[in-house]
Amino acid sequence: MARQQNSAMEDRPTMTAYMQKNQPLTPVSPLLPVTLPHVCEPIPPLPMTPPDADEILDAASNEAALRTGLHVIWTAKDAVGHMWDLLHSDPVAQEGFLNAVNVIAKTIHRGGKLIISGIGKSGKIAKKVEATMNSFAIRSVFLHPTEAVHGDLGIIAENDALLLFTFSGRTQELSALLSHIPPHHPLLVITSHTHPSTCPLFAGRPASNCVLLPAPIPVSETSSFGVPAPTTSTTTALVLSDALAIAVARRLYPTPADVFHKYHPGGAIGATAQRIGPRRMGDIAVQVADVPIAQKHKHSMSSPTLTALDILLAAVRSPSGWVRVSTDTIIAPRQIQKLGSPEQLDYPVHALDHDVVVEKGDWISIPAASTVEEARQWIEKMRDGERGRTFLREGTVLGIVDARGEVSAVVEIEDVIELEPSHVMEE
């Protein structure tokens, strides 16, 4: 056996044998001199640490860096303000936002979930929005558009809706993803486009299932910063999606804060919630003493009595939005918002609907120590009966009873429970 092994070893090719039979694998290096030439001056040692920052950053460069930071922040602020103007006044933007809230709320009610997708920097924003939605029990899943076509499409169920992030509105990866998703799934897109007809992602899909959420920027990032890096565009997309998440949470749950704390028990937020405990009616109430009493304004002197214009002007100065007509008569913020039509401005207050101006005797008393959830359950139980639906309706003012037994604060019923518009419940 040993002789066979030795024979095998002798037959095995070796590098030395190869070198002897063939040319070297690399050219032969030249021989180094035995002694190095004499150096007159010693080579100075290289620094082991980088130079002090003060030696690099002079006053001029510091000022330039600060100016850059301020410019970027101001540009983002301007873009968000532009988006606010758009949502405040543009019918297309308003319709898109409201449709998006309704679609997501219905999707969750039907047991579906929100599929959120994007790629690149938009994908990073999409992941953040997924986390925010889930914090409010708005079931959401991030779907990477590339991974989707490699098997992850299976995460999409029958009742799910889609929310895509793309500034250009023509991201190839998202177009490829949509080609594999049936058109009956509602499609929501946050993009720079301001009209659905210009967004390529909607092509070939029914208009009734397409919802545009415009998030344009007034100045391109290249013009603003000299580089097309997603900065301002991702900021506007994030702000709009945060607004969407809060609006959907309020549509789904009477007290979104309770839902949020339930699903966010960790970290500083969770620790604070544990110290505070469940929210009580007294926590969300507005003290009556802090509500301003409307006064006659010089612009409404044509009428000797208080008018709707006087109420609106008082509401502008009211931190809470509540306004008192007298010591024991109050108007809630949601009711004040209905007084904006021009033909109503000269209406005397006493001619306004009874649901708008509510006297203290009509406030529904609830103890301040009651939790918001307890109040919600009580209202729902009372509304199961015909009598309860009569006095616990849209516009009802809840009078919050303090520890002394006095009604010292107020809450709108809509802050506790979601109600149908009053005309639906009228006898």
Side-chain angles (χ1 to χ4, degrees):
M1 180 66 70
R3 182 177 301 172
Q4 291 177 352
Q5 290 179 345
N6 291 337
S7 175
M9 291 289 291
E10 293 171 359
D11 293 338
R12 184 179 301 170
T14 64
M15 183 64 71
T16 303
Y18 181 87
M19 291 289 291
Q20 291 174 349
K21 287 178 155 186
N22 303 281
Q23 294 293 328
L25 294 177
T26 58
V28 178
S29 300
L31 297 176
L32 293 176
V34 177
T35 59
L36 295 175
H38 177 68
V39 179
C40 298
E41 296 293 335
I43 300 176
L46 295 176
M48 299 300 293
T49 58
D52 189 2
D54 293 338
E55 299 177 7
I56 300 177
L57 302 177
D58 55 16
S61 60
N62 283 340
E63 183 179 353
L66 184 59
R67 282 202 307 269
T68 298
L70 291 172
H71 173 58
V72 173
I73 294 173
W74 180 265
T75 303
K77 173 179 175 291
D78 185 52
V80 172
H82 178 263
M83 187 171 60
W84 185 93
D85 290 336
L86 191 69
L87 187 57
H88 181 256
S89 59
D90 183 70
V92 174
Q94 292 175 344
E95 181 182 6
F97 188 85
L98 294 176
N99 285 342
V101 172
N102 290 332
V103 166
I104 298 175
K106 289 180 180 178
T107 296
I108 301 302
H109 275 308
R110 293 170 180 170
K113 60 185 179 294
L114 187 62
I115 305 294
I116 306 178
S117 188
I119 201 163
K121 304 300 184 294
S122 293
K124 305 296 184 184
I125 299 299
K127 287 184 177 180
K128 187 273 177 189
V129 174
E130 175 213 13
T132 300
M133 292 286 187
N134 282 321
S135 295
F136 286 110
I138 306 168
R139 190 178 176 216
S140 304
V141 175
F142 175 77
L143 178 63
H144 193 285
T146 303
E147 297 293 340
V149 296
H150 287 269
D152 286 0
L153 278 170
I155 201 171
I156 302 177
E158 183 68 19
N159 292 327
D160 293 348
L162 306 171
L163 173 61
L164 305 185
F165 286 78
T166 166
F167 184 75
S168 68
R170 58 176 183 273
T171 304
Q172 293 181 355
E173 293 84 352
L174 295 179
S175 296
L177 170 64
L178 288 176
S179 67
H180 299 284
I181 300 177
H184 72 269
H185 289 279
L187 174 60
L188 291 65
V189 179
I190 293 183
T191 179
S192 63
H193 293 266
T194 55
H195 197 278
S197 62
T198 65
C199 183
L201 289 181
F202 290 148
R205 303 185 78 86
S208 58
N209 278 348
C210 295
V211 178
L212 183 77
L213 291 159
I217 56 177
V219 182
S220 72
E221 287 145 334
T222 301
S223 299
S224 296
F225 313 123
V227 58
T231 47
T232 314
S233 59
T234 50
T235 298
T236 54
L238 179 61
V239 170
L240 182 58
S241 56
D242 280 344
L244 181 63
I246 297 295
V248 173
R250 289 181 174 177
R251 175 66 60 84
L252 289 172
Y253 309 107
T255 54
D258 293 341
V259 177
F260 181 82
H261 289 309
K262 176 182 178 181
Y263 291 103
H264 200 305
I269 293 177
T272 301
Q274 290 176 7
R275 289 195 301 270
I276 295 176
R279 289 199 313 162
R280 302 188 180 278
M281 292 300 293
D283 299 331
I284 66 173
V286 174
Q287 295 297 312
V288 175
D290 296 333
V291 177
I293 298 178
Q295 305 292 331
K296 281 297 298 178
H297 194 271
K298 62 181 180 180
H299 295 298
S300 63
M301 287 300 181
S302 58
S303 174
T305 60
L306 285 176
T307 64
L309 177 59
D310 296 316
I311 300 300
L312 290 172
L313 293 174
V316 171
R317 298 189 298 269
S318 173
S320 64
W322 290 80
V323 173
R324 282 189 289 170
V325 177
S326 64
T327 304
D328 296 328
T329 308
I330 203 164
I331 306 179
R334 286 180 175 83
Q335 301 303 316
I336 293 175
Q337 293 172 6
K338 300 176 181 179
L339 303 179
S341 58
E343 61 272 12
Q344 286 183 318
L345 296 182
D346 291 332
Y347 279 12
V349 171
H350 62 77
L352 296 175
D353 189 82
H354 176 71
D355 287 340
V356 176
V357 183
V358 185
E359 296 182 358
K360 190 172 184 178
D362 294 326
W363 302 355
I364 305 301
S365 299
I366 292 182
S370 301
T371 66
V372 176
E373 179 60 22
E374 289 171 343
R376 182 187 66 80
Q377 292 178 1
W378 177 79
I379 293 173
E380 287 184 341
K381 182 178 180 180
M382 293 297 295
R383 281 178 48 80
D384 285 341
E386 182 177 341
R387 180 171 177 271
R389 289 194 298 272
T390 301
F391 66 85
L392 289 170
R393 55 182 294 171
E394 183 187 25
T396 296
V397 174
L398 304 178
I400 308 305
V401 182
D402 59 25
R404 298 170 298 176
E406 298 179 1
V407 178
S408 59
V410 287
V411 171
E412 289 185 273
I413 192 173
E414 291 87 350
D415 289 335
V416 179
I417 185 172
E418 183 178 358
L419 297 173
E420 295 293 332
S422 59
H423 68 271
V424 174
M425 293 179 290
E426 288 179 353
E427 299 298 330

